[in-house]
Amino acid sequence: MKDFTKPHRISSLSEYTTKYDHSVADPEAFWEEIANSFNWRKKWDKILEWDFNSPDIKWFLGAKLNITENLLDRHLPDRGDQVAILWEPNDPKERPETITYKELHRKVCQFANAMIANGVEKGDRVIIYMPMVPEAAVAMLACARIGAVHSVVFAGFSSNALADRINDCDAKMVLTSDGNFRGAKTIDVKGVVDDALQKCSCVEKVIVFQRTKTEVHMEIGRDLWWHDAIKDMSDQNEAEEMDAEDLLFILYTSGSTGKPKGVVHTCGGYMVYTYYSFLNVFQYKPGDMYWCTADVGWITGHSYIVYGPLLAGAATIMFEGVPTYPDAGRFWEVCDKHQVNQFYTAPTAIRALQAHGLEPVRKHKLDSLKVIGSVGEPINEEAWHWYHEQIGKGRCPLVDTWWQTETGGIMISALAGITPNKPAHASLPLPGIQPIIVDADGNELEGNNVEGNLCVKFPWPSILRTTYGDHERCKQTYFSAYNNMYFTGDGAKRDHDGYLRILGRVDDVINVSGHRMGTAEVENAINEHAKVVESAVVGFPHDIKGQGIYAFVIAEADGIEEEIRETVSKMIGPIAKPDQVQIVSGLPKTRSGKIMRRILRKIASKDTSNLGDTSTLLNPEVVEDIIKGSK
Ligand code: WTA
């Protein structure tokens, strides 16, 4: 099998060091060499232009391309009959579906033509609200083919959250399904879209993929079935020519303030970086079977189910179900069934499965695994060791990959089997990535054994370019905390060996089962309840989810805890439901009226022995009451 990726796969520690040093000394030459391996309609006039203060970041200026020509057409001569996507359905008794590169190419072209026939043009925004079926990937790639900007919304979000996202990006089309099979449940999907669209006037067409065959309402003139839309369409499509800096997609993510923001990624840089990071972190080799268990609604699904693997000509598994259906051995059963070589999941799934004991693991061989990976939140040492020993059998390198929606791709991680593994440490930056640890004033903390805030001091190709429709917010959130640096929002430590350990968020973001949740966002949802006066939300340590959500609420009525949880579910989605709701008489505030979250965090974590200085509080007496009533 011809291995076109070989020149870019680092194969020894010394090569990593050489490449890393080169990438810092001459970043433009470093990335140019990798970019040269893609098909461009026209090459760049300049590699990089950047200014972190505006921010204004451009890679491969003047270059023209279509990313789908690089992840489909480019592979057809040599790899056309290889598996591109292997789909494992929710029900293990249903047949998996194998889609080769040739077939995927045809499906994408055909659906691209259907979208054009239904009025979508280059630059239009298209919302994808779909279950984990191959058509979700086809939908993303068809958008990219015609130059439409996709915005995938996780199908667990509520109609309110969906409507906000549709309106924020002024989407013209929604791609969805009738329903969604998840574990033992069949979930309504189209009904959520119908509800959302009552609040959106921008959407002209809705294309509905039939998955569950449940009866749904079809609005005449607006809604059409996927199978009808593609019926008379050609399976050939001339890809739209895109500028390297044209938008590829928008993905909404939570921040510490206000409503979710639309992180913007562009075509050229995202392509180069997801390919390169995929190849090196997972050490993917032709013929391997790769499986990332994420949902396409999150950045992990974008970069490491769809774009990165397909750019590398890999075989990528899409899984529709959940880790515990029909039992807690499902992941391991699928690993054996499809002879998975690289397996990539989230610490929350590992902890949940660990809680089921070893019985479900022992039934399976897991001998095809070569590399295991983790993403989304800090992996605690106990889960790390269980994963490494019980799943990786002590022989598979475990890559703990740190990155963010905003970074587009993996930033800090071991390269499997190449750079050293250290429990609970993301470890070393990828070539081209220059992370630094700074103190509160932005001074770089050099050397080992230092702890502070994690920043990046030089751009990489897949850094976010803006937040959709609100550039100022992008500047404020990521580029204003420290001069001339990208601020991640995470704390980090460089240990005595020089390895980086991510310590978690230092802002008001809670990481629940690897899903980012802004405390302000949850508070806004709680405040929608008619009897709620004020609320404050904090995170607390949770055995399975990593962090749980604890809400302190001032309310005009008692006994409404469950109603409050339901309100959040309705406003955002079940993933944002607070684990604890405590009705309180007051919230600890400073004299300027700011809620002292530090105190609430300690109470929620049952760590009340030392609450620190409460003398600056306007109302110190409420603290005792809150402690007494805490759960
Ligand atoms: C956290 C997910 C520790 C971190 C790809 C980051 C991690 C946020 C890790 C981004 C890791 C992600 N170790 N923490 N390996 N990976 N995080 O945007 O706090 O959904 O800022 O991207 O998840 O979450 P996002």
Side-chain angles (χ1 to χ4, degrees):
M1 214 176 281
K2 199 165 135 194
D3 183 5
F4 77 106
T5 58
K6 194 157 188 272
H8 299 131
R9 204 186 309 105
I10 292 171
S11 59
S12 69
L13 183 57
S14 65
E15 189 186 351
Y16 164 77
T17 312
T18 314
K19 284 267 157 68
Y20 187 81
D21 292 348
H22 172 50
S23 79
V24 173
D26 193 349
E28 299 189 22
F30 174 81
W31 288 114
E32 180 165 37
E33 196 222 308
I34 297 155
N36 266 327
S37 69
F38 291 94
N39 291 349
W40 302 83
R41 297 258 184 109
K42 172 186 173 283
K43 286 212 177 155
W44 42 89
D45 305 314
K46 202 176 170 193
I47 299 285
L48 170 65
E49 229 173 62
W50 68 291
D51 164 19
F52 270 177
N53 290 315
S54 304
D56 182 12
I57 306 150
K58 295 191 181 83
W59 282 90
F60 311 113
L61 289 86
K64 306 288 177 196
L65 76 157
N66 187 288
I67 194 169
T68 69
E69 288 186 336
N70 283 284
L71 52 77
L72 294 172
D73 307 59
R74 185 168 60 126
H75 300 318
L76 297 185
D78 292 334
R79 288 171 290 282
D81 294 318
Q82 268 178 47
V83 179
I85 295 178
L86 197 169
W87 177 66
E88 170 70 20
N90 177 61
D91 181 349
K93 292 201 274 307
E94 192 179 336
R95 236 170 39 133
E97 187 180 333
T98 304
I99 303 171
T100 64
Y101 274 93
K102 249 187 218 157
E103 289 161 346
L104 185 61
H105 179 261
R106 283 201 292 265
K107 281 177 191 282
V108 169
C109 287
Q110 192 175 44
F111 195 66
N113 289 328
M115 288 177 69
I116 293 171
N118 281 285
V120 181
E121 291 172 10
K122 179 176 181 177
D124 286 344
R125 273 80 55 213
V126 173
I127 292 280
I128 300 175
Y129 186 78
M130 290 180 76
M132 283 291 287
V133 289
E135 284 70 16
V138 170
M140 292 162 76
L141 299 176
C143 287
R145 187 85 179 172
I146 66 175
V149 179
H150 62 72
S151 185
V152 186
V153 177
F154 173 60
F157 277 117
S158 72
S159 63
N160 286 292
L162 175 61
D164 282 349
R165 286 155 175 79
I166 292 172
N167 285 328
D168 190 80
C169 71
D170 197 22
K172 197 173 192 178
M173 181 178 271
V174 175
L175 306 176
T176 188
S177 70
D178 47 358
N180 183 1
F181 291 128
R182 272 184 85 69
K185 289 186 238 162
T186 302
I187 296 165
D188 180 24
V189 177
K190 178 60 167 49
V192 179
V193 172
D194 290 340
D195 274 355
L197 291 186
Q198 305 225 327
K199 295 189 204 126
C200 311
S201 53
C202 50
V203 173
E204 292 167 15
K205 285 275 160 66
V206 178
I207 302 184
V208 188
F209 177 71
Q210 195 171 37
R211 171 62 186 129
T212 53
K213 302 218 161 72
T214 33
E215 207 167 309
V216 294
H217 163 77
M218 294 293 275
E219 181 97 7
I220 294 166
R222 186 195 71 184
D223 302 352
L224 71 161
W225 290 106
W226 183 292
H227 50 260
D228 289 334
I230 59 173
K231 210 182 275 158
D232 300 317
M233 294 295 151
S234 153
D235 60 8
Q236 294 304 312
N237 170 282
E238 175 70 18
E240 186 73 36
E241 184 167 290
M242 305 295 284
D243 189 273
E245 283 299 333
D246 277 341
L247 269 62
L248 175 61
F249 66 84
I250 303 168
L251 185 58
Y252 285 86
T253 190
S254 296
S256 49
T257 52
K259 51 182 184 125
K261 46 190 177 291
V263 168
V264 168
H265 285 289
T266 57
C267 298
Y270 181 81
M271 172 176 80
V272 171
Y273 196 77
T274 52
Y275 161 79
Y276 184 75
S277 52
F278 169 75
L279 205 60
N280 280 293
V281 170
F282 299 103
Q283 291 288 305
Y284 184 89
K285 302 211 172 68
D288 284 349
M289 183 59 75
Y290 162 87
W291 182 18
C292 166
T293 70
D295 189 284
V296 286
W298 313 113
I299 191 69
T300 309
H302 284 61
S303 303
Y304 300 111
I305 293 178
V306 180
Y307 287 105
L310 296 179
L311 285 162
T316 177
I317 295 182
M318 270 182 94
F319 175 48
E320 185 184 32
V322 297
T324 49
Y325 180 81
D327 59 54
R330 184 69 189 277
F331 273 0
W332 323 131
E333 183 230 312
V334 175
C335 281
D336 279 5
K337 177 170 165 189
H338 297 306
Q339 291 292 292
V340 171
N341 303 113
Q342 288 89 0
F343 176 75
Y344 190 30
T345 195
T348 185
I350 296 300
R351 289 189 299 262
L353 295 176
Q354 187 182 358
H356 283 87
L358 285 175
E359 196 48 36
V361 181
R362 287 207 187 101
K363 288 191 201 134
H364 308 282
K365 286 210 193 93
L366 298 173
D367 56 352
S368 58
L369 290 177
K370 296 198 284 191
V371 175
I372 54 177
S374 158
V375 61
E377 48 173 319
I379 179 162
N380 49 306
E381 293 204 21
E382 197 196 339
W384 195 100
H385 285 291
W386 188 84
Y387 191 23
H388 188 248
E389 273 134 48
Q390 304 303 336
I391 306 306
K393 310 294 180 198
R395 72 185 152 74
C396 299
L398 194 174
V399 289
D400 176 0
T401 63
W402 175 84
W403 58 297
Q404 309 177 296
T405 304
E406 295 85 345
T407 70
I410 298 169
M411 302 283 282
I412 303 176
S413 167
L415 310 184
I418 305 294
T419 61
N421 251 174
K422 184 162 190 171
H425 286 69
S427 80
L428 300 172
L430 265 67
I433 306 304
Q434 301 186 37
I436 58 169
I437 297 179
V438 299
D439 66 14
D441 302 319
N443 302 310
E444 179 168 356
L445 301 173
E446 288 176 275
N448 293 343
N449 263 327
V450 291
E451 188 177 317
N453 290 342
L454 182 64
C455 293
V456 187
K457 66 176 174 190
F458 196 86
W460 62 99
S462 64
I463 185 174
L464 87 161
R465 302 302 197 265
T466 186
T467 45
Y468 193 75
D470 192 351
H471 193 65
E472 182 59 24
R473 192 159 173 211
C474 173
K475 177 179 171 158
Q476 288 306 326
T477 313
Y478 308 106
F479 298 94
S480 297
Y482 303 108
N483 183 38
N484 217 19
M485 282 180 233
Y486 166 79
F487 175 47
T488 65
D490 280 313
K493 178 183 172 158
R494 196 183 300 108
D495 75 359
H496 51 271
D497 294 322
Y499 295 110
L500 290 162
R501 178 175 194 151
I502 310 302
L503 302 170
R505 303 289 305 196
V506 294
D507 55 7
D508 287 324
V509 170
I510 315 178
N511 194 326
V512 185
S513 300
H515 304 321
R516 277 165 70 170
M517 220 68 71
T519 52
E521 198 185 342
V522 182
E523 286 161 9
N524 290 343
I526 292 174
N527 299 348
E528 288 292 316
H529 189 290
K531 296 263 160 55
V532 168
V533 179
E534 198 181 0
S535 62
V537 163
V538 297
F540 70 99
H542 187 289
D543 285 348
I544 305 282
K545 300 183 189 178
Q547 279 190 298
I549 301 178
Y550 198 122
F552 298 90
V553 183
I554 307 177
E556 287 165 356
D558 280 329
I560 57 166
E561 288 87 345
E562 196 45 42
E563 284 175 29
I564 289 174
R565 286 160 46 83
E566 283 311 316
T567 305
V568 177
S569 188
K570 189 171 141 245
M571 297 307 296
I572 305 176
I575 50 173
K577 254 192 203 180
D579 298 273
Q580 300 290 353
V581 176
Q582 182 183 346
I583 307 289
V584 297
S585 58
L587 293 165
K589 288 190 178 171
T590 62
R591 279 169 215 284
S592 57
K594 214 171 158 255
I595 297 171
M596 284 267 253
R597 284 167 197 283
R598 181 173 56 78
I599 293 177
L600 295 176
R601 257 183 240 125
K602 287 207 158 194
I603 297 175
S605 315
K606 297 198 168 62
D607 171 22
T608 51
S609 56
N610 178 16
L611 288 179
D613 184 12
T614 54
S615 64
T616 55
L617 286 181
L618 188 68
N619 50 352
E621 71 287 350
V622 300
V623 175
E624 266 313 303
D625 283 354
I626 298 177
I627 293 175
K628 268 191 222 128
S630 70
K631 315 196 170 184

